[in-house]
Amino acid sequence: MDLKYVGKDIPRVDAYEKVTGTTKYMSDLSFDGMLWGKVLRSIHPHALIKSIDTSKAKALPGVEAVVTWEDVPGLNGFGIAIQDQPVLCKDKVRYAGDAVAAVAAVSKEIAEEAALLIEVEYEVLPVVDDPIRAIEPDSPKVHESGNILLHTEIRKGDIDKGFDEADLIIENTYYASRQEHAFLETEDGIALIEEDGTLTVYAGSHYPHRDQLQLSRCLNMPVEKIRVVSSPVGGAFGGKDELTIQPIMALLALKTGKPVKMVMPREESIISYWKRHPMIMIYRTGVKRDGTLVANDVKVYADTGAYASLGGPILNLALESSCGLYRIPHVHIDGYSVYTNNGISGAFRGFGVPQVTFAMESQMDIIAEKLGLDPIEFRRKNILKKGEVAPIGHHITTDVESEAVLDAMEGSRLWRERERYRGTDKNRPWIKRGVGLALSWQGMGLGVGLPDFGDAVIEMDPDGGFIVRVGCVEIGQGAMTVYAQVAAEALRFPIERIRVVIGDTRNAPDAGPTTASRAAYVGGKAIFLAAEEMNEKIKGYASGMLSVSPDEIEIDDGSAYVKTAKDKRVSYEEISSYAIERGGLPVAEGHFDLPTADKAIEGAFGLPHHIYSCCGQIAAVEVNTLTGQARVTDGAVVVDAGTVINQGGLEGQSEGGFVMGTGYALTEDLIIENGVVKTPNFSTYIIPTSKDMPSSIETIPVTNYESTGPFGAKGIGEIGMVPTAPAVTNAIYDAADIRVFKIPATGERIYELLKQKKGENK
Amino acid sequence: MKEFDYFRPSSLDECLKLLDQMRGRARILAGGTDLLVRLKHDMIREDNIVDIGRLDELHGVHVDGGDVHIAPLTTHNEIVESGLCDEVPVLKKACAQVGSPQIRNRGTIGGNVVNASPAGDTIPALSVHGAHVKLKSIDGERTIPIEELFTGPGRTAMRDNEILVDIVVPTIANGEIGFFKKLGQRNAMAISIVNIAVILSMNRSSKIIERAAVAVGSAAPTVIRCIEVENLMAGSRIDSAERLWEIAMKIRDRVSPISDVRASARYRAEMSANLFYEGMLELGVI
Ligand SMILES: Cc1cc2nc3c(=O)[nH]c(=O)nc-3n(C[C@H](O)[C@H](O)[C@H](O)COP(=O)(O)OP(=O)(O)OC[C@H]3O[C@@H](n4cnc5c(N)ncnc54)[C@H](O)[C@@H]3O)c2cc1C
């Protein structure tokens, strides 16, 4: 097929507004008579609430409402998977940052002052802060049900036999830190009551329809009476998947009848909301002398913090990818997601997979070196292909371009020329350089057993253009542009005359969450299907207007014509007038069910996935052995993308992912001690700046047509950051001969490792 | 953020009077890059803010005799771009490494000095250049060596009606070389884990060091001069890497840093030595 829009260099449809600052994010909105909301949060990581006295706050002039748990009309609990997080705590707080009460006042300052006037009496409880200790039966309990949110055990083959067959067994423990999403826009928005008594909530999030459902439960209000607008989002990376400020703003709006706005200050955002799960990962991997993997025993402890949210599914996705994309006959995987008082962990780009990939891909490099094998050869020898059995026991039935990705890595400039990047700096011999790589895979979509679908609607407008409606959100990734491209291609219609409406429960149908790398894939596919229906309708009208049968009609570039007589044609403007006369403009719907696996893995909810993406990365690193600091100087990202719909968008995701992964590898660490956040701002929580960027990041797509996706596309939103950390730490090993088991590999940590090694060599 | 009264005097005299009237109850505002962060966190005791931004006499660089005079409102970027400041190269290097372009455009050298952060990047540089600061009040003015200004982290010897009006930096002598190095957690927008400034007068051919100045920041409550190390180097030649290490170790022993989320005390101490070692090798002292 000749493509006009898909795969073409189409500028972002929202670029002009964004670079000129005219885009209105939810935090930019304001309404007449608007109040400001402020949350009173617990300063204790773990405590019983003995009493809450709001009288002084209520008496402060300018205060219009103070709410506590008593004001929650419905279920005082939310959570995507398990609703165990109170909107406002009643008798117990479980992390420092837990919401206890909230105020609406005529100014931000008064709201802040009032919040401080709320008197809460606490009885402090012991802090549960070590996930391994927390699962012991005598540990203090975060929830009455116990501290284990989820325990998943998966066995394949006979692990003991596997280790018996192994010539080499490598055992190590890895630690991955707690990562902050660091989106530009914090959790901000407005809730208001419309004239007809319905509630509208404007707040950036991944999934307006689920926010609507959760709000309906908490507020005891029918979903039809709640409208959620959650797009455009000023960045989220998973951090706005779960509810944040929405239910509290809604309570305040309901109570006052006025619009209530909240904007989280950065520190409150960092302290109070979601983070990537820190994980402790104990790996024991057995291999034969010839490099055949035979056994992998994996134990994972994920610190999910105070509430469930997506802690369970994140653990399971991590476990699915925990053995890498390799053929391993004997596997034992044992994972725990554990409640603690360490803030709250939730969804974050990669959804548990970056952590286990760090562990597994470090194991792979350690083994390759011990056996004297080239790291790519060793991976190739064990790589899983379509039709084979994955480590958790299911067959891979779709294309995962594992071999093509390895080939592209091997052929990349950075790998071919790696000798140029390696070795000791001549003039500054304390600078050591090295190159490392890592491979990753990740399931796309929500997994087996979960409703996973997308709806889209296409309407012709009176001028003969189109409105495309789909519920996913523009989160900065470029979804609107991809949707416009897919619609233009499928409708064979000029892209400038297509308007995309997304992220609004009233104006766009439910297309599922903008997560799990699924928005372009599912939303795009639903649009494609709607477009096919629309094309049929157009052909129907044209056939009536031109008095030929519909099969004789062809459409292109905004007009419909008779195949055999091209000058017999009608424009879409004419079709729209014709349709209006006959009862209304055409509307078409597309519904797409994401294909899922036909057999579930026992005891591992959501597993397996059906479609996988695969990504390999290479990093060139220099280590200053005098300071321990490592710097990533170059990178290459090979990604199994299916058809590339928008090259700029792909590069944005892969470069952004690589840089985010670099921060994860080297500096980012949300430190919590005794339940208290020690790095609550960007002066102490260190994300990379433009001066920390590598000098180049090459994006190399592997473009095998994914038959289920729109025009053959696959999701790539998360995988770009998944293998970065091990690529970087493997490069550090190559450079300086030290093995990093704990990320981030800060200057001080690397320096300590260098010292240890020096000591050993003496 | 608390409420405060805001004053913007239009002359230095007016400013001095204001400060005298409000002894101890006023805080000076220059670029605000430190002060505003503190105000936001309610860390400022004073109820009055005196914005000196309009006092042109406190702005700019000029050379007088053998000294470069840098008025306190001069921003880091202005110093980086000033040809006159080529005569104070180690300071220039320090200013170039402060924060980010935005911070360097807004933040002033006076603010950096009076803020008296142990990690302030210009401070070790000013120290090795032998800088003095001129303080003025309604009662008169006095000039003191920069090191004497600092009495502790965030604390200075300034009286409660004084303002910093000039920073006097002797121009670097012919043949003097030096460096400024900072170790941060990243390459921009980084508070120094440690920083170090060194000036040497070294004979190019014999490599004999005649005189040395070494100052370390972020490794003690205030900037420290490493006099013992300076004396050790004076009149001698560092003929081997081993010898350089020995000297560097004396710096490590001299500092008394703290541990915080950025780094442990031990790492800071070792880095004070290692940055020195790295900088000296890069200077080509051996
Ligand atoms: C993001 C960020 C990054 C930063 N990075 C660095 C860095 O890398 N290195 C570094 O050293 N600093 C850094 N800083 C700190 C700060 O920017 C500098 O110290 C800057 O030079 C302060 O100057 P200012 O004019 O903004 O001071 P202000 O905030 O206006 O004042 C600081 C203090 O000095 C007092 N003061 C100012 N001028 C006078 C005067 N003439 N007489 C008497 N008192 C006076 C004020 O009362 C106040 O107490 C950073 C700050 C931020 C926000």
Side-chain angles (χ1 to χ4, degrees):
Chain A
M1 199 189 333
D2 232 6
L3 298 179
K4 224 166 158 177
Y5 298 101
V6 163
K8 298 296 180 278
D9 196 12
I10 304 287
R12 287 180 67 122
V13 296
D14 52 354
Y16 185 82
E17 284 77 21
K18 282 193 169 163
V19 299
T20 54
T22 47
T23 301
K24 289 258 184 260
Y25 293 93
M26 305 302 136
S27 35
D28 296 323
L29 302 177
S30 66
F31 292 87
D32 286 345
M34 189 175 82
L35 304 174
W36 285 87
K38 175 77 192 169
V39 184
L40 175 72
R41 298 180 182 281
S42 167
I43 49 165
H44 302 293
H46 201 191
L48 297 176
I49 297 175
K50 291 282 149 191
S51 67
I52 305 173
D53 181 351
T54 60
S55 52
K56 284 187 188 145
K58 281 181 175 151
L60 187 72
V63 171
E64 304 232 346
V66 181
V67 292
T68 65
W69 62 271
E70 289 179 279
D71 300 286
V72 180
L75 174 70
N76 188 12
F78 65 92
I80 296 170
I82 297 173
Q83 292 74 48
D84 67 358
Q85 179 163 4
V87 175
L88 294 169
C89 298
K90 180 182 177 192
D91 38 31
K92 189 173 179 183
V93 292
R94 295 182 175 85
Y95 75 101
D98 227 345
V100 177
V103 180
V106 294
S107 75
K108 218 180 195 170
E109 290 73 18
I110 294 175
E112 280 165 12
E113 196 184 333
L116 294 176
L117 293 174
I118 300 170
E119 289 165 322
V120 185
E121 212 186 313
Y122 293 103
E123 181 188 321
V124 170
L125 298 173
V127 176
V128 179
D129 63 353
D130 173 350
I132 295 183
R133 165 81 185 97
I135 62 177
E136 287 168 15
D138 65 337
S139 164
K141 288 188 173 41
V142 179
H143 291 271
E144 262 160 39
S145 55
N147 291 338
I148 298 176
L149 165 62
L150 182 69
H151 175 209
T152 298
E153 197 166 7
I154 300 169
R155 287 175 189 279
K156 188 183 82 144
D158 177 345
I159 192 76
D160 296 330
K161 184 162 164 265
F163 284 117
D164 283 346
E165 287 172 12
D167 298 312
L168 175 71
I169 296 172
I170 297 290
E171 182 168 348
N172 288 302
T173 302
Y174 297 88
Y175 302 84
S177 69
R178 181 181 290 104
Q179 192 179 21
E180 153 70 22
H181 304 81
F183 28 65
L184 207 52
E185 180 193 40
T186 56
E187 299 80 357
D188 311 332
I190 296 188
L192 57 89
I193 311 299
E194 306 284 355
E195 271 168 25
D196 62 2
T198 58
L199 170 74
T200 302
V201 175
Y202 297 93
S205 86
H206 289 261
Y207 189 7
H209 292 84
R210 189 179 51 218
D211 298 348
Q212 183 191 36
L213 173 72
Q214 292 217 68
L215 286 169
S216 134
R217 280 197 292 244
C218 300
L219 303 173
N220 198 18
M221 224 175 152
V223 283
E224 311 80 63
K225 295 213 158 160
I226 302 170
R227 175 185 173 203
V228 175
V229 183
S230 76
S231 182
V233 191
F237 308 106
K240 297 169 188 169
D241 201 8
E242 186 56 88
L243 288 181
T244 58
I245 56 173
Q246 297 94 330
I248 298 177
M249 287 195 312
L251 279 182
L252 291 169
L254 284 168
K255 186 107 182 178
T256 59
K258 295 182 183 171
V260 176
K261 179 165 181 170
M262 288 205 321
V263 173
M264 284 301 106
R266 181 61 66 181
E267 301 203 348
E268 187 172 344
S269 162
I270 291 184
I271 290 169
S272 312
Y273 291 115
W274 308 99
K275 300 286 169 288
R276 183 185 299 292
H277 285 69
M279 289 189 192
I280 301 167
M281 298 160 289
I282 304 163
Y283 270 64
R284 192 159 175 256
T285 309
V287 60
K288 286 193 177 165
R289 202 164 289 114
D290 68 356
T292 309
L293 289 167
V294 284
N296 206 22
D297 191 355
V298 174
K299 196 152 202 174
V300 173
Y301 298 92
D303 181 350
T304 205
Y307 297 106
S309 187
L310 288 169
I314 288 166
L315 175 70
N316 281 357
L317 194 75
L319 299 183
E320 181 178 33
S321 286
S322 65
C323 296
L325 186 46
Y326 306 113
R327 189 189 312 114
I328 311 178
H330 306 289
V331 172
H332 176 220
I333 300 171
D334 196 16
Y336 292 87
S337 188
V338 186
Y339 287 120
T340 66
N341 300 119
N342 294 332
I344 46 178
S345 307
F348 196 149
R349 192 184 206 172
F351 216 71
V353 185
Q355 293 92 316
V356 292
T357 304
F358 164 57
M360 186 64 197
E361 287 297 287
S362 298
Q363 290 285 91
M364 291 299 284
D365 255 37
I366 293 169
I367 293 169
E369 202 215 5
K370 286 247 189 296
L371 296 177
L373 295 172
D374 173 84
I376 291 190
E377 265 333 296
F378 174 49
R379 285 173 174 83
R380 204 192 309 276
K381 191 174 174 67
N382 293 287
I383 197 92
L384 262 185
K385 291 166 224 157
K386 185 174 173 178
E388 291 185 320
V389 180
I392 61 168
H394 66 296
H395 282 86
I396 307 263
T397 56
T398 55
D399 292 323
V400 47
E401 292 302 313
S402 48
E403 282 185 297
V405 167
L406 273 182
D407 290 345
M409 288 168 82
E410 194 164 30
S412 69
R413 181 189 51 81
L414 191 50
W415 190 251
R416 275 187 287 111
E417 298 178 8
R418 66 188 178 282
E419 286 312 319
R420 221 157 50 80
Y421 293 86
R422 302 179 69 230
T424 299
D425 188 291
K426 271 202 210 75
N427 299 319
R428 302 167 75 217
W430 56 93
I431 305 286
K432 312 279 184 197
R433 303 205 168 88
V435 177
L437 60 80
L439 185 70
S440 65
W441 69 315
Q442 180 176 354
M444 216 184 75
L446 306 178
V448 76
L450 290 157
D452 199 352
F453 64 92
D455 283 333
V457 170
I458 300 182
E459 297 163 13
M460 183 176 264
D461 68 27
D463 306 326
F466 291 102
I467 303 171
V468 173
R469 302 182 187 276
V470 61
C472 295
V473 301
E474 175 59 59
I475 214 150
Q477 85 281 45
M480 276 172 64
T481 309
V482 163
Y483 292 156
Q485 284 179 272
V486 168
E489 194 69 66
L491 292 164
R492 277 161 271 161
F493 188 78
I495 195 166
E496 313 78 62
R497 294 177 56 206
I498 292 174
R499 194 159 67 86
V500 180
V501 176
I502 62 180
D504 178 345
T505 56
R506 192 172 72 193
N507 293 320
D510 189 352
T514 301
T515 59
S517 308
R518 68 188 285 295
Y521 172 82
V522 176
K525 188 63 185 247
I527 291 169
F528 178 85
L529 295 172
E532 286 196 322
E533 191 191 316
M534 177 58 80
N535 290 343
E536 289 313 309
K537 292 196 170 174
I538 285 171
K539 285 180 184 168
Y541 288 119
S543 87
M545 293 164 81
L546 297 168
S547 315
V548 293
S549 96
D551 338 325
E552 288 178 56
I553 301 284
E554 190 63 82
I555 57 176
D556 197 21
D557 214 19
S559 63
Y561 56 88
V562 178
K563 275 183 207 164
T564 49
K566 289 200 176 164
D567 52 338
K568 282 182 75 181
R569 61 172 63 219
V570 286
S571 74
Y572 280 23
E573 285 88 339
E574 290 165 314
I575 292 177
S576 83
S577 313
Y578 180 83
I580 291 171
E581 282 165 24
R582 271 155 196 79
L585 287 162
V587 177
E589 288 173 20
H591 175 91
F592 176 57
D593 284 309
L594 196 133
T596 51
D598 46 16
K599 224 166 78 203
I601 305 284
E602 209 180 310
F605 187 73
L607 303 188
H609 286 75
H610 182 61
I611 296 172
Y612 295 92
S613 46
C614 173
C615 177
Q617 295 188 354
I618 304 166
V621 165
E622 66 176 40
V623 178
N624 182 331
T625 56
L626 282 174
T627 63
Q629 285 190 336
R631 222 172 80 74
V632 178
T633 58
D634 278 275
V637 176
V638 179
V639 52
D640 168 21
T643 301
V644 177
I645 295 179
N646 190 308
Q647 178 71 18
L650 175 72
E651 283 170 12
Q653 290 293 319
S654 94
E655 291 171 15
F658 186 85
V659 167
M660 184 181 253
T662 302
Y664 186 50
L666 297 179
T667 55
E668 294 186 37
D669 197 358
L670 204 284
I671 299 170
I672 298 185
E673 277 172 18
N674 301 318
V676 176
V677 174
K678 295 291 176 189
T679 53
N681 54 46
F682 292 143
S683 162
T684 47
Y685 182 82
I686 306 295
I687 56 174
T689 69
S690 56
K691 282 222 164 178
D692 303 287
M693 295 299 120
S695 56
S696 77
I697 303 168
E698 192 187 1
T699 299
I700 307 168
V702 167
T703 57
N704 182 45
Y705 194 87
E706 168 53 48
S707 56
T708 60
F711 296 99
K714 222 177 199 184
I716 46 89
E718 296 172 272
I719 194 96
M721 77 83 56
V722 172
T724 319
V728 169
T729 56
N730 286 340
I732 290 172
Y733 181 80
D734 189 46
D737 214 16
I738 48 155
R739 183 49 69 185
V740 172
F741 293 103
K742 192 177 209 166
I743 48 171
T746 60
E748 181 160 0
R749 284 194 182 140
I750 293 180
Y751 187 72
E752 287 303 320
L753 291 170
L754 287 164
K755 269 182 32 180
Q756 272 171 28
K757 194 190 86 184
K758 237 183 179 170
E760 284 161 17
N761 288 352
K762 262 182 193 155
Chain B
M1 196 161 97
K2 72 174 195 176
E3 285 182 17
F4 52 82
D5 287 324
Y6 172 84
F7 300 87
R8 189 170 61 196
S10 48
S11 72
L12 183 56
D13 276 347
E14 189 192 336
C15 176
L16 295 178
K17 278 186 202 131
L18 264 174
L19 291 175
D20 196 60
Q21 280 161 19
M22 301 188 294
R23 278 173 175 267
R25 290 180 291 113
R27 182 63 82 106
I28 290 169
L29 170 71
T33 59
D34 269 315
L35 190 62
L36 263 69
V37 176
R38 282 165 197 275
L39 271 173
K40 219 175 123 182
H41 288 118
D42 281 331
M43 288 161 71
I44 297 297
R45 215 170 7 97
E46 294 84 346
D47 304 316
N48 303 291
I49 299 293
V50 179
D51 181 350
I52 59 172
R54 292 260 170 113
L55 304 182
D56 291 340
E57 55 262 64
L58 297 186
H59 194 176
V61 182
H62 72 274
V63 175
D64 187 5
D67 295 323
V68 179
H69 291 261
I70 305 176
L73 286 180
T74 312
T75 65
H76 297 290
N77 250 356
E78 285 165 344
I79 293 171
V80 172
E81 282 165 12
S82 154
L84 298 177
C85 290
D86 287 343
E87 303 299 317
V88 289
V90 176
L91 175 65
K92 207 168 181 168
K93 284 189 184 125
C95 291
Q97 292 188 49
V98 170
S100 62
Q102 297 90 327
I103 296 293
R104 292 194 291 274
N105 278 331
R106 183 88 212 150
T108 65
I109 186 164
N112 195 249
V113 168
V114 179
N115 199 48
S117 159
D121 283 322
T122 65
I123 296 169
L126 287 168
S127 172
V128 295
H129 274 299
H132 284 64
V133 289
K134 191 200 248 183
L135 309 173
K136 194 165 181 170
S137 74
I138 202 160
D139 310 322
E141 58 183 47
R142 56 186 179 129
T143 301
I144 57 171
I146 180 113
E147 297 85 358
E148 286 177 22
L149 182 66
F150 307 110
T151 55
R155 289 203 305 274
T156 68
M158 284 173 73
R159 299 177 188 133
D160 57 10
N161 63 347
E162 272 181 333
I163 178 171
L164 169 67
V165 292
D166 194 14
I167 300 170
V168 188
V169 196
T171 58
I172 198 159
N174 230 342
E176 279 184 338
I177 51 174
F179 65 85
F180 171 82
K181 268 190 171 293
K182 85 185 247 186
L183 181 71
Q185 289 169 290
R186 62 185 160 204
N187 295 317
M189 301 287 275
I191 294 181
S192 289
I193 291 171
V194 267
N195 55 23
I196 184 165
V198 171
I199 291 182
L200 306 172
S201 57
M202 184 174 82
N203 184 305
R204 290 255 157 154
S205 48
S206 71
K207 298 215 167 176
I208 289 174
I209 293 166
E210 281 140 28
R211 201 182 61 80
V214 179
V216 183
S218 210
T222 65
V223 64
I224 46 172
R225 278 294 282 267
C226 303
I227 307 290
E228 192 194 344
V229 169
E230 294 174 2
N231 291 340
L232 206 64
M233 286 193 280
S236 76
R237 193 196 145 171
I238 302 171
D239 51 12
S240 67
E242 290 69 36
R243 178 66 187 145
L244 184 59
W245 256 126
E246 270 171 43
I247 298 168
M249 287 303 118
K250 298 255 184 286
I251 296 179
R252 189 194 63 186
D253 299 342
R254 165 84 172 86
V255 298
S256 53
I258 55 158
S259 291
D260 63 16
V261 289
R262 294 193 175 88
S264 71
R266 194 170 84 164
Y267 182 64
R268 281 202 164 89
E270 298 209 15
M271 288 307 106
S272 66
N274 291 14
L275 284 192
F276 172 79
Y277 181 83
E278 185 181 37
M280 293 291 275
L281 284 178
E282 285 166 348
L283 263 192
V285 297
I286 298 180

